[in-house]
Amino acid sequence: MQMYKAWLTSSQLHTILGGYIGSLLFIFMLTALGNLETTVFGKSFQQKLFPEVIFSLIISLIASGLVHRVATTTCFIFSMIALYYMNRISQETYAVPIPTMSMHSKKRK
């Protein structure tokens, strides 16, 4: 992003594109960090809000902030949208269904 800083700050649309690129950095960093932790700690390890998500978000916001202030804001918005969908896909894929117990009322005679 630093190599194309002049182009990314040349128009409003390019600045928003810089924020989107920063959110892609967030997604890739979070995925890489999660894969590393799964390899080191085992398959039962889960990513948490702190430190994995916050660390990846701060790094991507700093990278976007070095380009433009508006890119930081759009990076945050795009990253939160991406985090929501990543969480939703993860819940659909890996969530363990909880069995429901039905309570039958028995009347005494």
Side-chain angles (χ1 to χ4, degrees):
M1 289 171 58
Q2 283 295 311
M3 291 173 55
Y4 295 103
K5 182 178 180 178
W7 185 77
L8 288 172
T9 58
S10 65
S11 73
Q12 292 177 349
L13 189 61
H14 293 158
T15 305
I16 293 171
L17 178 67
Y20 180 72
I21 293 170
S23 72
L24 290 178
L25 175 67
F26 167 73
I27 293 169
F28 293 145
M29 189 177 306
L30 188 61
T31 303
L33 200 60
N35 289 338
L36 176 69
E37 289 177 343
T38 300
T39 302
V40 173
F41 300 122
K43 288 203 176 273
S44 63
F45 193 80
Q46 294 180 358
Q47 292 182 355
K48 296 173 189 63
L49 181 64
F50 183 79
E52 294 90 5
V53 174
I54 298 295
F55 176 74
S56 300
L57 184 64
I58 287 173
I59 296 299
S60 64
L61 290 176
I62 289 172
S64 296
L66 292 173
V67 174
H68 198 274
R69 290 182 297 173
V70 176
T72 305
T73 306
T74 56
C75 174
F76 180 77
I77 293 169
F78 287 138
S79 296
M80 290 298 106
I81 293 169
L83 185 64
Y84 170 76
Y85 282 109
M86 287 172 60
N87 184 35
R88 193 168 133 191
I89 290 169
S90 175
Q91 289 298 321
E92 291 173 1
T93 305
Y94 299 110
V96 178
I98 300 172
T100 57
M101 298 180 68
S102 60
M103 302 292 279
H104 297 289
S105 62
K106 295 182 180 180
K107 294 183 180 179
R108 293 186 181 193
K109 293 184 179 182

